Amino acid sequence: MPKANEEKDSAAQSANEIANDIAAAIAGRKLPPGTKLREEALARVYSVSRTKIRAALLLLSKDKLIDIVPDKGAFVSQPTEKDAREIFAARRIIEAAVVKEFVAKAQAKDYKALENHLKSERAALSVQDSKMRSQLLGDFHVLLAQIAGNQVLAEILAELVGRSSLITMLYQSDRDAVCSSDEHADFLAAAKAGKVDKAVSCMLSHLDHVEAALQFDTGAKDARKDLIAALLA
């Protein structure tokens, strides 16, 4: 029987692939913060052993996307207000550096790719696709870092953007996401014109606005989380 499981695993997704898939589901708001990630259920979904699921969950915990609680299991992270403030502070520092490198290195094809990305953002907004919208708004920032060419910064930023998605899920107000896409367009216009300082200012103002839209009075949210926990128990 163990041999059969090993053969099944070898033909299935790797732990990294499973972790990436779950991370995408978290960032896309398919798995709400606080959701318990049951090993046996995930093993059935991915048709792999629980050993491989544990490996995937360990990878997610290292990226702070989930919390593994001894004797209780794995849960989608629920960041605190302090976590949120620190993550946005880190993003400001990193993205200011990313913007400078981006403006220095971006070519016409890169701007074209970002303009196409903006069109995808608007399309998701027009059909009210919250999953796609959230993912695309975050991907814009990661794409900038990738174009800038600093792989380390791109990897760090990808993790921070994923964690930011969790934060906005818990604390974001009803502020229309169109504003974020508009601010992406304003930034891109400044960058394309070669105005480094203005591009940095646009990016920092954008992050300020996103953080300002967060509401940390969680009384009403707690009731919703309790209901989710009851439904998923």
Side-chain angles (χ1 to χ4, degrees):
M1 184 64 68
K3 183 177 180 180
N5 286 337
E6 289 174 6
E7 291 175 351
K8 180 177 66 174
D9 273 10
S10 66
Q13 290 175 287
S14 68
N16 276 315
E17 289 171 329
I18 293 170
N20 289 338
D21 195 49
I22 295 173
I26 292 172
R29 304 187 180 188
K30 293 173 67 176
L31 292 171
T35 300
K36 183 172 183 178
L37 301 176
R38 303 177 187 278
E39 289 182 7
E40 63 275 15
L42 290 171
R44 287 195 300 271
V45 168
Y46 291 102
S47 299
V48 297
S49 68
R50 290 178 65 175
T51 299
K52 185 170 285 188
I53 293 299
R54 290 190 195 103
L57 294 177
L58 182 60
L59 291 171
L60 290 167
S61 71
K62 288 180 179 178
D63 287 340
K64 311 298 184 185
L65 290 177
I66 71 168
D67 298 316
I68 297 178
V69 183
D71 300 323
K72 292 187 177 180
F75 300 83
V76 176
S77 295
Q78 297 187 75
T80 64
E81 178 178 353
K82 181 174 181 291
D83 294 331
R85 299 303 185 197
E86 290 178 352
I87 287 170
F88 274 94
R91 284 190 63 177
R92 288 186 188 90
I93 295 170
I94 291 171
E95 296 199 49
V98 165
V99 167
K100 291 177 183 178
E101 290 195 36
F102 170 81
V103 176
K105 297 180 180 179
Q107 301 177 7
K109 63 181 178 62
D110 299 317
Y111 284 107
K112 183 63 176 178
L114 286 166
E115 287 164 358
N116 288 335
H117 188 92
L118 286 177
K119 291 178 181 178
S120 296
E121 287 182 4
R122 297 307 173 92
L125 288 164
S126 67
V127 297
Q128 298 183 331
D129 186 338
S130 59
K131 173 183 177 297
M132 185 60 67
R133 178 194 72 197
S134 176
Q135 185 171 338
L136 288 169
L137 290 174
D139 284 349
F140 180 88
H141 296 262
V142 178
L143 185 55
L144 285 178
Q146 291 172 341
I147 292 172
N150 190 317
Q151 186 60 33
V152 174
L153 286 182
E155 290 175 357
I156 294 172
L157 188 56
E159 178 189 341
L160 290 173
V161 167
R163 294 174 69 183
S164 297
S165 181
L166 284 175
I167 290 168
T168 55
M169 185 188 301
L170 280 171
Y171 304 119
Q172 194 172 42
S173 70
D174 293 332
R175 176 175 174 268
D176 195 340
V178 171
C179 293
S180 287
S181 191
D182 287 343
E183 289 166 358
H184 286 173
D186 291 340
F187 156 78
L188 199 56
K192 195 171 184 178
K195 299 179 180 178
V196 179
D197 291 341
K198 184 174 181 180
V200 171
S201 178
C202 285
M203 181 59 73
L204 295 180
S205 293
H206 167 56
L207 294 174
D208 286 344
H209 293 161
V210 174
E211 185 177 4
L214 304 178
Q215 297 178 342
F216 294 101
D217 181 7
T218 59
K221 296 282 188 180
D222 287 341
R224 189 183 73 172
K225 286 187 287 185
D226 289 342
L227 175 60
I228 291 172
L231 291 173
L232 298 175

